[in-house]
Amino acid sequence: SVCSNLRLLVTSRELLRLAAEREYPVPPLVEQESVGFFLARARGARPGFEPDEHVLPICRRVDHLPLALELAAARVRAMTTAQIRERLERSLPLLTGGARDAPERQRTLRGAIGWSYELLSPEERQAFRPLGVFADGWTLEAAEAVAGADVDALQSLVEKSLVRYGGERHSLLET
């Protein structure tokens, strides 16, 4: 065939479910990477920015997610890291103000989460909503009993990166 050696790199929120597809998950940044990313973005927002003891807790609070780190770092223009950290402990509305030329879903963390949620099927939404009652994760059996989530819905939520799976437990990101 004319394109027998054609290879594509496709980024997607979920698997395309093609026979030749290979998945390369992109997990949240590790601590050292997230601190470095935060510092780079903070220095872009306020040249000369120096890290302090609040930077790592900020990175942890936003689950080391690049979009959340970028939005939090932009706040160093008007706030100390202590103020950012304290406000993040209460809620996430602080994470706004992404680039104007970015899609709406990339301007706020709430927008990104809302966009992902809106793309769920009604069955996935029904399974996802009650999972928030689990503070430290859950087992498949607990999700079935408490949330009415079956294994297909739970797997779909994992594949869409809204639920994490490690070992025998599932969990949600803090954000």
Side-chain angles (χ1 to χ4, degrees):
S1 96
V2 175
C3 297
S4 61
N5 292 322
L6 178 67
R7 300 205 189 275
L8 300 174
L9 174 63
V10 177
T11 60
S12 177
R13 189 173 148 267
E14 61 184 293
L15 296 172
L16 301 175
R17 301 199 183 280
L18 302 172
E21 181 176 25
R22 299 294 174 264
E23 179 184 14
Y24 297 98
V26 180
L29 301 173
V30 296
E31 278 193 0
Q32 186 176 0
E33 292 170 331
S34 68
V35 168
F37 185 82
F38 181 91
L39 292 178
R41 293 300 196 252
R43 288 178 179 143
R46 194 177 90 210
F49 173 82
E50 289 298 323
D52 59 25
E53 71 276 8
H54 300 288
V55 171
L56 181 57
I58 289 169
C59 295
R60 288 177 178 156
R61 174 62 178 102
V62 299
D63 295 312
H64 308 285
L65 298 172
L67 176 60
L69 290 164
E70 188 163 344
L71 295 170
R75 292 297 186 176
V76 301
R77 285 188 190 112
M79 302 170 72
T80 67
T81 55
Q83 290 170 322
I84 294 169
R85 178 183 179 185
E86 192 260 322
R87 289 174 188 235
L88 283 174
E89 292 301 324
R90 287 185 273 161
S91 64
L92 296 175
L94 178 70
L95 301 180
T96 62
R100 283 186 218 176
D101 60 346
E104 183 65 34
R105 68 180 182 270
Q106 293 176 359
R107 291 187 210 157
T108 69
L109 190 57
R110 186 174 303 281
I113 294 167
W115 174 76
S116 289
Y117 182 79
E118 291 301 317
L119 291 174
L120 296 176
S121 70
E123 296 79 21
E124 292 166 332
R125 287 181 193 180
Q126 186 175 352
F128 182 69
R129 279 191 300 264
L131 296 175
V133 303
F134 297 105
D136 294 318
W138 63 88
T139 62
L140 172 62
E141 294 76 19
E144 290 171 327
V146 174
D150 64 22
V151 69
D152 291 332
L154 203 52
Q155 180 169 338
S156 181
L157 293 171
V158 169
E159 290 173 354
K160 290 178 171 94
S161 301
L162 289 170
V163 169
R164 288 182 169 176
Y165 177 68
E168 296 187 15
R169 295 185 66 77
H170 296 81
S171 63
L172 298 174
L173 292 170
E174 178 69 22
T175 52

